[in-house]
Amino acid sequence: VVQGLANGTPYQVQLRARNELGLGNASSSTTLTPSRAPFAPSIQSIVRGDTTLTVAYQLGANGGNAISDVEYSVDGGINWLQQPAPSIVSPLRIASLTNGTNYTVKVRAVNVQGSGDASVSSTGTPVGVPSAPTVTSATRGNQSATVAFTLGAANGGTTSNIEYSLDNGTSW
């Protein structure tokens, strides 16, 4: 084992043997470039969408070989998933998630040495638009109306406001 080499630097390696009479001929030269799996990326942001999380990340050092893919985990690094097509382009869009569920996201880069170190985890919760409220009753008043309703599903978010229309949805 030859120690102290720099990852990503090509070396022309030759060997020769020594005995009590001296040195033998050198072997033919072979090029060797030491490397390791990539260093950890860093997650810059997570944007939540309807059943999706979009993860922006910055790749770490490649460890001496080109990075060919980025893998992700939504359970804190217990299980790792590959993208549908290998890619290192940020951001990464993670689909088919459940709205309202907190996901602990990690990413890691891959090169010929394998999967690299994982990023520090970040959390994200997908959210969709709320479902329509259900009108349970409407009571007429003097130049007014009282409308009772139940909220529809929040789809992972928090309903912050109820709007109304008096012209069948043309204006709100």
Side-chain angles (χ1 to χ4, degrees):
V1 175
V2 179
Q3 300 290 331
L5 303 179
N7 286 339
T9 301
Y11 295 91
Q12 298 298 316
V13 179
Q14 290 180 294
L15 301 175
R16 65 182 180 179
R18 175 189 299 264
N19 68 15
E20 63 274 4
L21 293 179
L23 292 169
N25 292 328
S27 66
S28 59
S29 181
T30 185
T31 301
L32 173 75
T33 304
S35 64
R36 59 157 275 169
F39 290 83
S42 60
I43 295 177
Q44 306 296 306
S45 66
I46 297 181
V47 176
R48 53 197 211 152
D50 190 8
T51 69
T52 66
L53 293 174
T54 301
V55 182
Y57 59 86
Q58 174 96 30
L59 290 173
N62 67 15
N65 276 309
I67 295 172
S68 59
D69 198 7
V70 171
E71 299 172 328
Y72 66 93
S73 171
V74 292
D75 59 10
I78 296 169
N79 297 292
W80 289 92
L81 303 166
Q82 293 180 321
Q83 300 179 70
S87 176
I88 62 170
V89 177
S90 177
L92 160 69
R93 185 174 180 271
I94 304 172
S96 301
L97 302 174
T98 302
N99 286 339
T101 299
N102 289 326
Y103 291 93
T104 303
V105 178
K106 288 186 174 190
V107 294
R108 66 184 182 189
V110 178
N111 68 12
V112 296
Q113 294 291 353
S115 299
D117 301 328
S119 67
V120 172
S121 62
S122 289
T123 58
T125 306
V127 61
V129 296
S131 299
T134 302
V135 175
T136 56
S137 68
T139 306
R140 293 180 289 217
N142 183 17
Q143 296 184 331
S144 67
T146 302
V147 180
F149 60 92
T150 56
L151 289 175
N155 285 329
T158 302
T159 302
S160 59
N161 193 21
I162 298 294
E163 296 182 355
Y164 64 89
S165 172
L166 299 175
D167 54 11
N168 203 30
T170 301
S171 62
W172 292 89

